[in-house]
């Protein structure tokens, strides 16, 4: 129709897929404007963040240890039902699901921000009752929430006040907050996180999305948690901040921390591609699938989808096949499969028999 469109995004794949020309701004300054066909992702990333990033997703080197967190039969009416999972020291556990699948609600319940109606939680093999975030914090659990502005930060307070908010009681003596200790702790963590601020007194609401997220991480890391829940940790931040957060996640895992990462989609560029996945949904199923590759008579893999969102879990299975067996053309992003369902079942994604 001849309409001109300005499309603003941090997502590289979207920009290269739909745009004709890309203009880059950094820190309020014009950097360049070039035809999309003349750019590669690395050039664009360098222009956006002002430096070259050689590795966005660090290689996983952490060693998996004993079970640190076990959730059994967790349920909340209308949100999730009879969820079981384990998290081990040094492990990064991915919780996958579409919007409304129950992943955020499950993590909020584990953290005590919502009450479990059924189920049990064990930490280090010992049953615990987590009825509030205070209980979770005492058990060395941290939650980096999906909505940092609503749940993660006090936007009208300073960087320092936000950074020390979790450990403020430990910095107080006889009811008085020891500001020198708090300032020192905040400065050291903000520096370690490479957070761009004008000072500890800067109002946190004036920071960029990526720097806000680093302040959220700072307040939890100052409490030295053993279990860290990341709920969509890179939503709404630039690629440079994403790379730094992925690096921090890997460093924590290498220190033996257990980390859970919730994600909304599983694609070939998923940053948690080497994790164990658990898919969640409203839909309960018990569905055996046989997956075939063109030209082969025998099924390549047999899998059973149980109690979760069929098309999300099926996507995870296919992603694992791609990673392990390299059954795709490197020049393409897709994999053609034939799926044989049992008689009487329908495809969970389309509803087609």
């Amino acid at each position: 129709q001849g309409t001109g469109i300005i499309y603003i995004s941090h997502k590289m794949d979207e920009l290269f897929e739909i745009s004709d020309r890309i203009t880059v701004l950094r820190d309020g300054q014009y950097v360049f404007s070039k035809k999309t066909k003349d750019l590669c992702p690395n050039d664009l990333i360098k222009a956006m963040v002002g430096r070259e990033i050689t590795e966005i997703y660090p290689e996983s080197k952490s060693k998996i240890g004993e079970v640190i967190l076990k959730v059994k039969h967790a349920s909340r009416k209308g949100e999730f039902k009879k969820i079981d999972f384990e998290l081990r020291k040094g492990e990064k556990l991915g919780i996958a699901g579409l919007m409304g699948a129950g992943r955020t609600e499950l993590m909020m319940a584990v953290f005590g921000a919502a009450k479990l109606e059924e189920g049990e939680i064990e930490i280090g093999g010992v049953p615990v009752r987590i009825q509030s975030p205070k209980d979770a914090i005492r058990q060395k659990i941290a939650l980096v929430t999906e909505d940092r502005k609503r749940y993660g930060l006090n936007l009208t307070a300073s960087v320092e006040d936000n950074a020390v908010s979790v450990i403020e009681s430990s910095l107080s003596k006889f009811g008085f907050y020891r500001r020198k200790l708090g300032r020192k702790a905040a400065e050291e963590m903000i520096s370690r996180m490479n957070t761009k601020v004008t000072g500890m007194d800067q109002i946190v609401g004036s920071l960029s999305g990526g720097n806000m997220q680093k302040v959220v991480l700072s307040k939890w890391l100052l409490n030295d948690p053993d279990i860290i829940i990341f709920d969509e940790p890179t939503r709404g931040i630039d690629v440079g901040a994403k790379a730094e957060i992925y690096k921090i996640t890997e460093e924590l895992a290498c220190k033996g921390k257990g980390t859970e990462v919730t994600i909304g989609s599983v694609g070939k560029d998923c940053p948690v591609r080497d994790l164990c996945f658990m898919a969640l949904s409203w839909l309960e199923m018990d569905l055996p699938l046989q997956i075939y590759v063109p030209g082969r008579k025998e099924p390549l893999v047999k899998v059973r989808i149980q109690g979760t969102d069929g098309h999300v879990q099926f996507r995870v299975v296919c992603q694992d096949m791609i990673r392990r067996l390299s059954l795709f053309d490197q020049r393409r992003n897709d994999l053609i499969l034939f799926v044989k369902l049992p008689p009487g079942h329908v495809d969970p994604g389309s509803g087609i028999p």
Side-chain angles (χ1 to χ4, degrees), residues 51 53 55-56 58 192-196 210-211 214 217 234 237-251:
R51 65 185 187 280
I53 297 178
E55 186 179 52
I56 297 178
R192 172 186 164 190
M193 299 291 292
N194 195 28
T195 311
K196 292 183 179 179
N211 287 306
K214 290 178 183 179
L217 279 169
T234 60
I237 65 177
D238 66 69
V239 67
K242 284 182 181 181
E244 289 178 305
I245 288 174
Y246 295 147
K247 182 181 177 182
I248 291 166
T249 304
E250 176 59 25
E251 289 174 352

Side-chain angles (χ1 to χ4, degrees), residues 201-247:
D201 294 322
Q202 183 177 356
I203 300 303
V204 80
S206 66
L207 300 177
S208 67
N211 287 306
M212 281 187 188
Q213 192 72 313
K214 290 178 183 179
V215 175
V216 175
L217 279 169
S218 295
K219 77 172 187 178
W220 288 118
L221 295 184
L222 279 172
N223 197 45
D224 192 26
D226 296 322
I227 299 165
I228 309 171
I229 302 170
F230 292 90
D231 191 358
E232 294 277 11
T234 60
R235 173 173 290 180
I237 65 177
D238 66 69
V239 67
K242 284 182 181 181
E244 289 178 305
I245 288 174
Y246 295 147
K247 182 181 177 182

Side-chain angles (χ1 to χ4, degrees), residues 66-71 86-89 121-128 130 139-141 226-227:
E66 66 268 22
V67 174
I68 189 173
L69 171 68
K70 179 182 286 188
V71 175
E86 293 181 350
L87 176 69
R88 296 176 176 272
K89 288 186 176 181
I121 297 176
E122 294 181 5
I123 296 180
V126 179
V128 296
I130 299 179
Q139 296 294 338
K140 292 293 186 177
I141 300 176
D226 296 322
I227 299 165

